[in-house]
Amino acid sequence: KSLYTPLFFRHYAGIICMNILKLQGTVKKVLVLDCDNTLWKGVLGEDGSNGIDMASTSPTGSIFNDVQQIFKGLKKKGVIICLCTKNNYEDIVSLFETHPDLIIKRKDLVYIAANWEPKPKNLLKMSKTLNLGLDSFVFIDDSDFEIGLMREKLPEVVSLKVPRQLTRYPFFALNLSSIFNNKKQSLEDANRTEMYQAQILREEQLKKSNTFESYLKSLKMKLYFFFDSEKYLSRLAQMTQKTNQFN
């Protein structure tokens, strides 16, 4: 008789699969999440903000609450969290700013694609805006159709479906963290969400500026020089690994 339960084997198999994905490509940087039946139970457009469930006191909602806790923990490790959902933009923003049961808040999100465009098209825009390759993206959705479409149109993206058995969802989310694993975290990792939020604001400011010179002036940038500062050693080590930019 085995000393281990089926739950252990499913969990262990998930870790192996995630590490295989990690070995096959770059360490992932961006987590793109669907909303309906991915961050909460229910459909916002049909059930309304009071009808969706992610409450910690609800048997089903607590599962989504736990998953949100896990996803939010990835943000602290430098993972960029984005949304890609077929909902009205205003409804999604309002929900993330006001709903009391949400663990992931508006300030935790770098990019929100809430519209009725094909999701691969939204991820292409997201990749361009963030200036990050699609091979650094992980996409999670509850729909077989959306996962299939993403795998067909953007095979570089790791597309994963929410488990049909919801009780497995928290284990799925925990296993997912191995793809984003970064053993040596720098101050830059902790502040990455704010950095990319600022980058998007700079992009918007550039579109409003008449000349590139006026755009640069509007940023009010300051340049600091540091010599032999151990404070930035871990960040310097990270920069040597940015082979997509320089080595």
Side-chain angles (χ1 to χ4, degrees):
K1 185 178 179 180
S2 174
L3 296 175
Y4 302 100
T5 65
L7 181 61
F8 166 81
F9 285 114
R10 286 198 298 267
H11 182 62
Y12 195 66
I15 293 174
I16 293 172
C17 291
M18 294 302 180
N19 278 285
I20 289 173
L21 286 172
K22 182 177 174 182
L23 290 170
Q24 287 177 340
T26 59
V27 174
K28 309 306 176 184
K29 301 176 182 177
V30 187
L31 177 61
V32 184
L33 299 166
D34 174 42
C35 291
D36 296 328
N37 294 311
T38 299
L39 286 178
W40 52 74
K41 180 64 176 178
V43 179
L44 178 61
E46 298 175 5
D47 303 317
S49 59
N50 294 325
I52 58 176
D53 189 9
M54 51 188 150
S56 59
T57 54
S58 161
T60 301
S62 62
I63 295 173
F64 291 92
N65 194 280
D66 289 344
V67 167
Q68 284 194 39
Q69 294 271 12
I70 295 167
F71 288 155
K72 186 164 182 173
L74 292 175
K75 176 205 166 191
K76 297 177 182 178
K77 296 182 178 181
V79 176
I80 300 165
I81 301 179
C82 304
L83 300 182
C84 186
T85 175
K86 287 185 176 177
N87 274 292
N88 293 324
Y89 180 83
E90 294 78 10
D91 295 342
I92 289 293
V93 171
S94 175
L95 187 81
F96 275 85
E97 289 178 346
T98 61
H99 202 290
D101 293 329
L102 270 166
I103 302 300
I104 297 175
K105 304 293 186 181
R106 174 67 181 90
K107 63 182 180 180
D108 299 317
L109 302 170
V110 171
Y111 192 110
I112 298 176
N115 53 49
W116 305 97
E117 298 279 352
K119 292 190 176 183
K121 183 177 180 180
N122 278 319
L123 256 70
L124 281 169
K125 291 180 182 177
M126 205 178 291
S127 172
K128 184 176 180 181
T129 300
L130 299 176
N131 195 27
L132 290 171
L134 287 167
D135 60 352
S136 64
F137 280 62
V138 175
F139 171 66
I140 299 178
D141 201 295
D142 69 296
S143 165
D144 287 320
F145 170 78
E146 297 293 358
I147 292 295
L149 184 65
M150 193 67 71
R151 288 174 177 171
E152 177 188 346
K153 300 295 184 183
L154 300 178
E156 313 96 306
V157 176
V158 173
S159 300
L160 303 171
K161 186 176 179 293
V162 174
R164 291 187 186 278
Q165 188 177 343
L166 281 180
T167 53
R168 295 178 54 192
Y169 198 10
F171 292 103
F172 167 92
L174 283 170
N175 292 342
L176 186 70
S177 64
S178 63
I179 298 182
F180 299 100
N181 186 36
N182 182 10
K183 293 182 179 179
K184 293 185 178 180
Q185 296 176 40
S186 67
L187 182 62
E188 182 126 346
D189 293 323
N191 297 330
R192 184 161 285 128
T193 293
E194 290 76 12
M195 288 171 54
Y196 276 92
Q197 287 172 340
Q199 178 175 316
I200 290 175
L201 290 175
R202 287 195 295 270
E203 293 280 345
E204 293 174 355
Q205 185 64 31
L206 178 59
K207 294 175 183 177
K208 296 177 183 177
S209 301
N210 295 323
T211 65
F212 193 66
E213 183 179 6
S214 64
Y215 161 70
L216 291 177
K217 286 182 178 180
S218 72
L219 298 181
K220 298 180 180 179
M221 292 185 292
K222 294 182 180 180
L223 180 64
Y224 298 91
F225 291 90
F226 296 90
F227 297 94
D228 297 331
S229 174
E230 291 186 5
K231 179 181 178 181
Y232 300 104
L233 188 59
S234 62
R235 177 57 182 160
L236 290 170
Q238 281 185 334
M239 291 176 72
T240 65
Q241 301 171 41
K242 284 182 172 288
T243 54
N244 62 317
Q245 297 177 20
F246 60 85
N247 192 337

